Amino acid sequence: MSSYEDLLKILDSRKVTRLYWIITILAAIGGFLFGYDTAVIGTAAEFAPYRYTGFLLGYEIASASLGAAIGTIIAYFYTDRYGRKSLLIIDAAIYTIAAILSALTINGTMLLIMRTIIGIAIGADSAVATAYITEYAPKDKRGTLAIMQQWMITIGILGSYLIGSTILFFLPSLAYTVDWRLILGLAAIPAILGLIFRFMMPESPRWLIYSGQFDRLKRDLGKFGITVSDDVLERTRREIQSEMSMKLDTATKKALLLVGLWLVFQQITGINVPFYYGPIILSKLHIFGSTTNPVYSAIDGVLESTILAVINVAATFIAFKFIDKIGRRNLGISAYIGMLAFDVIGGISALYGFNIGMLIAFAGFIIFFAYGVGGTGWLIQAEYFDTRVRGRMASIGALIDWLANFALIEVFPVMLSSVGLAGSMFIFSALDLAALIFVFFFIPETKGLSLEEIVRMFNEVPLTKMKEGRELVINGEHEAIR
């Protein structure tokens, strides 16, 4: 075994200590801000003095998504060249500045610009955070640590609802002057914490190896409690230098195809529908009563939306606990079966005007999506690729995700006006079925494999046998079927 392989084996077999959790939470702070900043605008915009029409009205909703697409492009050119840690620091700085300026905005144009800039940070963070986590995580805990990003996104969404409703409840007379600014500006607090403490994080050890920064590698490995000799580092340097630079080979294209399709299905199967349309359905149920006061009416709407957000957080915890035990593939298959069932229930409920049925359908759909599809997509986006191209490929995956997200935002109102909510739910059911077929026939299991074993699987196992790829790699049978 080479020195390089020995070093990776040490990384993959480490016990997850408190330090690993601290680093992962710091990396995933961007996930919290991701969730908070994408969800908070609905509450704040209702009381902001700016009213948009035409293109600007649509851009108010889509600005963060379009900014996120820009952020993924920036990450594509940045992260494999300059590292994961520095981009995470830059993201935190952008979040901080844009959150403060959003609270201090002087006109509607400035608010839209700040929303776009926040979107840039969201997009870059979605491209690099999970990739960073997977590159230091031990292989048996990689899913558990990486899913923290998705869990923090859901906590951020829930946090935006709770903070917004609390501020409006205690300061109702200031709703149109101070409250909406405070709701937007409070995002700066976790952003500042992330900005300060991310400087103390180690850089990705795998990236440091391939970038040839072995002095820094030795120092940062020490932060993980790993000590390596200069002799091992020197031999690792020679082994890495003897390798050709990584090209976009067939294996990488194969992995990108599967990741891209997963992320497209992740969006177009309708996860945003419960969060965009859910509050309208829930408001008809009058769970918290009814009122003519616009401030308290908004509080009731936010609290009703909180029901779905709590379900989202709780269900993502299931993935957090079991993704390394049950596996990515099995969670994905079971999730799409559940999503299909609850979309059918939602379609039937909408057809007959059964609002309680819609609430059950939305809740059930979110449970299955959260534990088997949402976080899993971000995880495989990071773990399917060679370290030398992981940052770029993860950026492309994030770009695909955000473009699909934007497409759904644009298309869903047309679906509602043409086929109605019931028809839309049945369309999502058909997409769930297509996604289920895709996952069953093409997505491999990767639990317990090192990142390098996953790359070897994509190199040596044909696409038609990819669902059996893990077993073929473990059993050493891949050579016989090439």
Side-chain angles (χ1 to χ4, degrees):
M1 184 178 292
S2 69
S3 298
Y4 172 54
E5 290 172 330
D6 285 337
L7 185 53
L8 294 181
K9 187 175 181 180
I10 293 172
L11 281 170
D12 281 330
S13 61
R14 295 287 295 175
K15 181 181 178 181
V16 174
T17 62
R18 184 174 64 177
L19 176 65
Y20 278 84
W21 288 113
I22 292 172
I23 295 170
T24 302
I25 290 171
L26 286 174
I29 281 179
F32 176 87
L33 293 167
F34 178 154
Y36 186 94
D37 283 316
T38 52
V40 75
I41 189 63
T43 305
E46 189 167 348
F47 299 102
Y50 317 122
R51 294 293 176 264
Y52 306 103
T53 59
F55 172 79
L56 292 180
L57 179 61
Y59 192 75
E60 180 183 17
I61 299 172
S63 55
S65 295
L66 290 177
I70 296 171
T72 64
I73 296 172
I74 293 172
Y76 176 90
F77 291 103
Y78 185 97
T79 184
D80 281 335
R81 177 173 296 184
Y82 301 108
R84 311 344 183 183
K85 174 182 173 179
S86 59
L87 185 56
L88 288 172
I89 292 171
I90 293 170
D91 287 346
I94 293 173
Y95 276 127
T96 300
I97 295 170
I100 293 172
L101 292 179
S102 292
L104 300 177
T105 184
I106 59 175
N107 55 47
T109 301
M110 181 178 175
L111 180 59
L112 292 181
I113 292 172
M114 290 305 106
R115 293 292 300 165
T116 304
I117 292 174
I118 285 175
I120 292 173
I122 290 172
D125 200 276
S126 67
V128 72
T130 309
Y132 170 77
I133 294 169
T134 61
E135 288 178 348
Y136 64 75
K139 64 181 182 180
D140 291 333
K141 292 292 184 181
R142 187 172 61 244
T144 302
L145 291 174
I147 213 73
M148 180 67 75
Q149 170 77 356
Q150 177 68 16
W151 199 25
M152 290 289 275
I153 292 172
T154 65
I155 293 172
I157 294 171
L158 175 60
S160 74
Y161 293 153
L162 295 178
I163 290 172
S165 58
T166 299
I167 290 174
L168 290 171
F169 181 80
F170 285 104
L171 301 172
S173 63
L174 302 178
Y176 294 94
T177 54
V178 175
D179 288 1
W180 69 272
R181 295 182 183 273
L182 191 58
I183 292 169
L184 292 175
L186 282 175
I189 295 176
I192 291 171
L193 292 174
L195 179 60
I196 294 171
F197 289 104
R198 280 180 170 179
F199 278 99
M200 304 176 191
M201 293 163 53
E203 179 55 273
S204 158
R206 280 178 165 89
W207 180 81
L208 288 173
I209 290 172
Y210 278 111
S211 63
Q213 300 183 47
F214 285 87
D215 291 338
R216 187 178 176 190
L217 172 64
K218 184 177 182 179
R219 183 177 68 249
D220 281 8
L221 283 175
K223 296 180 181 179
F224 291 104
I226 299 172
T227 302
V228 292
S229 67
D230 291 335
D231 179 61
V232 169
L233 291 179
E234 181 57 34
R235 282 187 281 123
T236 301
R237 185 199 304 272
R238 290 197 297 268
E239 291 165 14
I240 295 300
Q241 288 176 344
S242 67
E243 295 183 9
M244 297 289 289
S245 61
M246 186 68 181
K247 297 179 180 179
L248 193 61
D249 58 10
T250 301
T252 304
K253 294 175 184 177
K254 192 191 308 179
L256 184 59
L257 173 64
L258 297 188
V259 168
L261 285 172
W262 180 292
L263 292 173
V264 168
F265 279 123
Q266 176 178 299
Q267 291 296 327
I268 67 172
T269 46
I271 182 55
N272 286 318
V273 172
F275 291 108
Y276 293 162
Y277 201 84
I280 298 175
I281 297 295
L282 294 176
S283 66
K284 294 179 180 179
L285 301 178
H286 302 298
I287 296 173
F288 297 103
S290 58
T291 176
T292 57
N293 186 308
V295 176
Y296 289 106
S297 178
I299 293 172
D300 289 345
V302 172
L303 289 176
E304 288 159 359
S305 300
T306 302
I307 295 173
L308 298 179
V310 168
I311 292 170
N312 199 16
V313 173
T316 303
F317 182 74
I318 299 174
F320 178 77
K321 294 293 290 184
F322 294 107
I323 195 163
D324 282 319
K325 297 177 182 178
I326 297 175
R328 293 69 156 145
R329 172 181 165 82
N330 289 333
L331 283 181
I333 290 172
S334 62
Y336 274 118
I337 291 173
M339 290 161 63
L340 170 60
F342 279 100
D343 268 338
V344 171
I345 292 172
I348 295 172
S349 298
L351 197 62
Y352 291 97
F354 184 44
N355 286 335
I356 292 293
M358 286 301 305
L359 173 60
I360 294 171
F362 284 162
F365 181 91
I366 288 171
I367 289 171
F368 282 97
F369 176 91
Y371 89 71
V373 175
T376 304
W378 297 118
L379 173 57
I380 67 170
Q381 167 218 32
E383 67 180 6
Y384 276 14
F385 303 103
D386 188 281
T387 301
R388 288 163 289 186
V389 297
R390 181 171 293 114
R392 281 171 284 166
M393 295 305 103
S395 298
I396 292 175
L399 175 61
I400 292 171
D401 185 88
W402 284 109
L403 291 177
N405 173 280
F406 177 73
L408 180 67
I409 292 173
E410 290 295 316
V411 170
F412 184 62
V414 178
M415 292 170 61
L416 280 179
S417 62
S418 57
V419 299
L421 181 59
S424 299
M425 299 301 286
F426 290 132
I427 289 173
F428 289 132
S429 299
L431 292 171
D432 291 331
L433 179 60
L436 175 61
I437 293 170
F438 160 69
V439 173
F440 181 82
F441 283 105
F442 295 105
I443 292 297
E445 184 53 71
T446 54
K447 68 173 183 177
L449 295 179
S450 69
L451 294 176
E452 290 68 33
E453 286 173 325
I454 295 171
V455 172
R456 192 170 80 243
M457 176 179 66
F458 277 99
N459 268 306
E460 299 173 346
V461 178
L463 195 61
T464 54
K465 290 187 175 291
M466 191 56 67
K467 71 174 183 177
E468 306 161 13
R470 180 177 184 270
E471 290 71 25
L472 293 172
V473 168
I474 291 175
N475 297 327
E477 299 174 5
H478 45 281
E479 289 291 344
I481 62 172
R482 289 184 66 185

